[in-house]
Amino acid sequence: MTKNDDIFTGLLVEIKELVLSKIPRDDRLMNICRLLNEKVPHYNWVGFYLVDWANKRELILGPYVGAPTDHVRIPFGKGICGQAAEREEIFVVDDVTKESNYLSCSINVKSEIVLPIFRHGKIIGELDIDSHTPAAFTGHDRTFLNSICEIVAGII
Ligand code: SME
């Protein structure tokens, strides 16, 4: 059990409660971003991208916490987010400078994880996290963040 595992266990309880709260959906998603950003030191930008229902091959930026980004719309296949959407797979990049298909948000970002969110087998959005630490994301982050995606799938 690492220190992060303890943090993750507590956060999952808080996030389950948040998802069930009666505030508007985007406020719930924003509070999840805030919690993750505040409680996990290596999560420096935390945000949701949602599949555009008018154009199912594009992602639209949803609630997020961190540096403002120009990437408010990302076509499937473009950048790390677009590749994760196209492949419907979790994408972890340990060193963003080595990724040719990458959309930079800030020069401080060193590594990134993107997890697709599915409902009834279809991708409906993504959870995107950037870190200022190289190779910040381990299997523990993957498992933890994937549980969050399963929890939030019900409200997206
Ligand atoms: N880096 C992402 C774009 C989103 S920003 O990091 C917020 C990408 O390559 O898709």
Side-chain angles (χ1 to χ4, degrees):
M1 195 82 170
T2 65
K3 186 165 157 270
N4 273 343
D5 287 333
D6 285 341
I7 298 175
F8 290 167
T9 306
L11 277 174
L12 273 181
V13 173
E14 278 189 78
I15 287 168
K16 278 182 192 155
E17 282 166 9
L18 246 175
V19 162
L20 294 174
S21 69
K22 296 277 182 270
I23 59 173
R25 180 200 75 170
D26 279 1
D27 293 347
R28 285 181 273 174
L29 293 177
M30 178 58 103
N31 286 341
I32 292 171
C33 295
R34 280 203 196 105
L35 254 185
L36 292 173
N37 177 250
E38 278 166 17
K39 299 279 169 67
V40 188
H42 59 289
Y43 294 179
N44 302 116
W45 189 98
V46 181
F48 289 96
Y49 278 93
L50 307 176
V51 172
D52 178 5
W53 288 111
N55 168 7
K56 295 194 168 58
R57 303 273 305 158
E58 212 159 74
L59 298 159
I60 306 177
L61 182 62
Y64 73 93
V65 169
T69 176
D70 290 339
H71 308 297
V72 292
R73 279 191 163 267
I74 301 180
F76 278 30
K78 232 176 155 225
I80 296 169
C81 292
Q83 291 180 81
E86 181 124 280
R87 297 191 202 169
E88 301 195 337
E89 278 174 8
I90 298 174
F91 219 101
V92 180
V93 177
D94 286 340
D95 177 353
V96 294
T97 64
K98 301 234 162 68
E99 173 63 48
S100 53
N101 190 357
Y102 171 65
L103 302 169
S104 174
C105 173
S106 131
I107 55 157
N108 296 323
V109 175
K110 302 287 188 283
S111 58
E112 178 162 355
I113 185 168
V114 179
L115 301 100
I117 302 170
F118 299 101
R119 191 164 59 221
H120 306 309
K122 288 209 167 69
I123 182 165
I124 53 170
E126 290 183 344
L127 174 58
D128 178 16
I129 303 187
D130 290 339
S131 182
H132 298 168
T133 307
F137 304 102
T138 66
H140 293 266
D141 295 277
R142 254 176 114 101
T143 307
F144 165 62
L145 296 170
N146 208 37
S147 301
I148 295 176
C149 289
E150 286 170 8
I151 295 166
V152 299
I155 60 163
I156 285 181

